[in-house]
Amino acid sequence: MPHMTAFARNQWYVAAYSHEVGRELLGRTILGETLVLYRTAQEGTPVVLHDRCVHRRYPLSEAPTRLDGDRIVCGYHGFTYDTTGTCVYVPGQKRVPRTARVASYPVVEQDSLIWVWIGDPALADPQGIPRARHLDSPGWVTVRGMEPIDCDYGLLVDNLLDLSHETYLHGGYIGTPEVAETPITTEVDEGAGIVRVSRHMDDAECPPFYARSTGIKGRITRWQDIEYHAPCLYLLHSRIAPAGVLPEADGSDPNGFHTEITYAITPSGDGKVYDFWAVSRDWATDDAEVTEFLRGNNHTVVMQDVTALDLLQKTLGTERTGYQELSINIDTGGLAARRILARLVEQGEKPVEKVQ
């Protein structure tokens, strides 16, 4: 078996997009915990419970299990649970056993994402959830999706923090020679659990992803500024503009096209990860053709990663014990992320800001 990145349990993870959770029961597995998600009828508040009936372990996310008001009625024997996971009805007797309850999990809906806390509920502080405001801010349009990948979630973190693979894996879409040729700068805030990796290209080929969506002809300046908030949220602040055109002295950028690329990296279980992806833009926001082009193009790019990471996981599973991995400068961000993830697992608690 390949090495598996351990799970940091006392952390917030994205379980779903807001639009996925409604009055239909939705099943997800996070850190090996099976979950069922739904919304209350009146307030529309998201609820997250353990997805196994306490009686015979029937999955509560599967038909014919159904909602009766805000209560879940198990489709096997009718055990009924309220929003706290307390069983309020069992068939054939008045007394409900004291142990008849399923776990409920802290849940926060923010920036069109449903965040869930799998660890100790007493440590669940919503203030610790990183923001991705562009996902539902006015003036931004977002395309999004989710792909499950059969790989260790650490491999996806590696993949996203080293964008030089764009040149080779995603050539003809987002990759150009300059991405791999341009050195990176890396900043690590160990205390906050944040890794920043930047690559600024002053004279680069315009990849088809942007040439066809922005209409820019010729060479471009292209900036990629990554911000990874361990363990779950990855933000790529992307800017392109015609070559030679730099932002104004006050930081305004009238000639630039800004794109926010967001990934939520949620481990499902050992060797399985949910790859939530979104592309948000503040330009051509009323152009449906651009929206559909970006949706299709980015889905293709994501599937190229899915195929590669599925293959890499299988390959690592056949390696002899003690094989040596080689790392170079482009891996600095990924290696820092591995250190931070290992520390979060060891601490078993949220990252603590350094005292300045």
Side-chain angles (χ1 to χ4, degrees):
M1 280 291 288
H3 169 74
M4 293 291 178
T5 309
F7 302 143
R9 293 184 67 81
N10 287 321
Q11 300 290 321
W12 291 100
Y13 291 94
V14 172
Y17 290 117
S18 288
H19 75 265
E20 294 184 282
V21 180
R23 297 291 290 165
E24 296 287 321
L25 298 168
L26 174 68
R28 287 274 148 86
T29 302
I30 298 180
L31 312 190
E33 298 284 335
T34 54
L35 310 177
V36 57
L37 296 85
Y38 66 98
R39 288 186 188 275
T40 58
Q42 295 303 315
E43 293 83 13
T45 310
V47 177
V48 182
L49 302 177
H50 187 58
D51 186 27
R52 296 290 183 268
C53 180
V54 75
H55 177 229
R56 289 293 179 265
R57 315 306 293 164
Y58 191 83
L60 297 176
S61 60
E62 297 288 343
T65 302
R66 61 183 173 83
L67 286 173
D68 178 9
D70 290 341
R71 296 172 168 181
I72 288 189
V73 181
C74 177
Y76 194 17
H77 292 98
F79 276 60
T80 303
Y81 302 91
D82 67 15
T83 56
T84 71
T86 303
C87 184
V88 294
Y89 169 82
V90 299
Q93 62 186 61
K94 287 276 192 287
R95 189 184 68 81
V96 176
R98 267 185 315 112
T99 55
R101 59 181 307 114
V102 296
S104 72
Y105 300 86
V107 55
V108 172
E109 184 168 15
Q110 181 175 283
D111 303 328
S112 78
L113 301 171
I114 306 290
W115 293 85
V116 174
W117 181 276
I118 299 296
D120 180 352
L123 298 175
D125 177 9
Q127 297 302 313
I129 300 175
R131 300 303 303 256
R133 290 181 174 87
H134 49 272
L135 290 177
D136 62 358
S137 284
W140 289 84
V141 172
T142 298
V143 295
R144 63 186 86 204
M146 188 275 280
E147 296 297 333
I149 312 180
D150 289 329
C151 81
D152 174 46
Y153 81 100
L155 294 183
L156 181 56
V157 175
D158 275 353
N159 171 279
L160 293 171
L161 280 169
D162 170 24
L163 292 182
S164 58
H165 79 273
E166 287 183 352
T167 300
Y168 305 99
L169 192 61
H170 306 308
Y173 293 89
I174 56 177
T176 66
E178 293 81 11
V179 181
E181 290 164 5
T182 305
I184 60 168
T185 62
T186 307
E187 293 176 24
V188 184
D189 187 334
E190 298 273 357
I194 300 173
V195 180
R196 294 182 173 88
V197 180
S198 294
R199 193 181 251 115
H200 289 179
M201 296 156 269
D202 293 331
D203 180 16
E205 183 186 324
C206 189
F209 185 80
Y210 285 121
R212 286 189 50 195
S213 56
T214 65
I216 288 182
K217 304 278 193 291
R219 311 276 294 173
I220 58 170
T221 58
R222 184 180 185 186
W223 294 358
Q224 296 175 326
D225 294 295
I226 296 167
E227 203 180 305
Y228 170 58
H229 298 256
C232 189
L233 189 69
Y234 169 101
L235 306 171
L236 168 57
H237 313 297
S238 171
R239 173 199 182 269
I240 69 158
V245 177
L246 296 172
E248 305 289 333
D250 64 0
S252 63
D253 198 359
N255 299 297
F257 293 82
H258 301 94
T259 309
E260 294 286 345
I261 295 153
T262 309
Y263 284 86
I265 303 161
T266 301
S268 174
D270 283 337
K272 291 185 180 298
V273 61
Y274 293 124
D275 180 1
F276 292 90
W277 59 269
V279 178
S280 309
R281 71 185 193 278
D282 66 354
W283 44 273
T285 52
D286 56 354
D287 191 325
E289 199 175 330
V290 169
T291 298
E292 288 315 304
F293 171 75
L294 293 180
R295 186 196 312 280
N297 207 280
N298 204 69
H299 180 253
T300 300
V301 167
V302 169
M303 293 311 295
Q304 289 172 335
D305 280 335
V306 170
T307 301
L309 292 171
D310 282 348
L311 177 60
L312 185 56
Q313 182 76 21
K314 286 192 184 114
T315 305
L316 291 173
T318 65
E319 285 286 359
R320 68 188 186 282
T321 306
Y323 74 91
Q324 286 298 305
E325 186 181 59
L326 172 69
S327 295
I328 58 173
N329 288 345
I330 59 172
D331 304 307
T332 309
L335 294 173
R338 291 183 192 182
R339 278 199 317 275
I340 289 169
L341 290 171
R343 180 175 57 77
L344 293 181
V345 171
E346 195 178 322
Q347 285 181 342
E349 57 192 37
K350 291 164 63 15
V352 179
E353 287 281 1
K354 285 179 184 164
V355 178
Q356 299 298 324

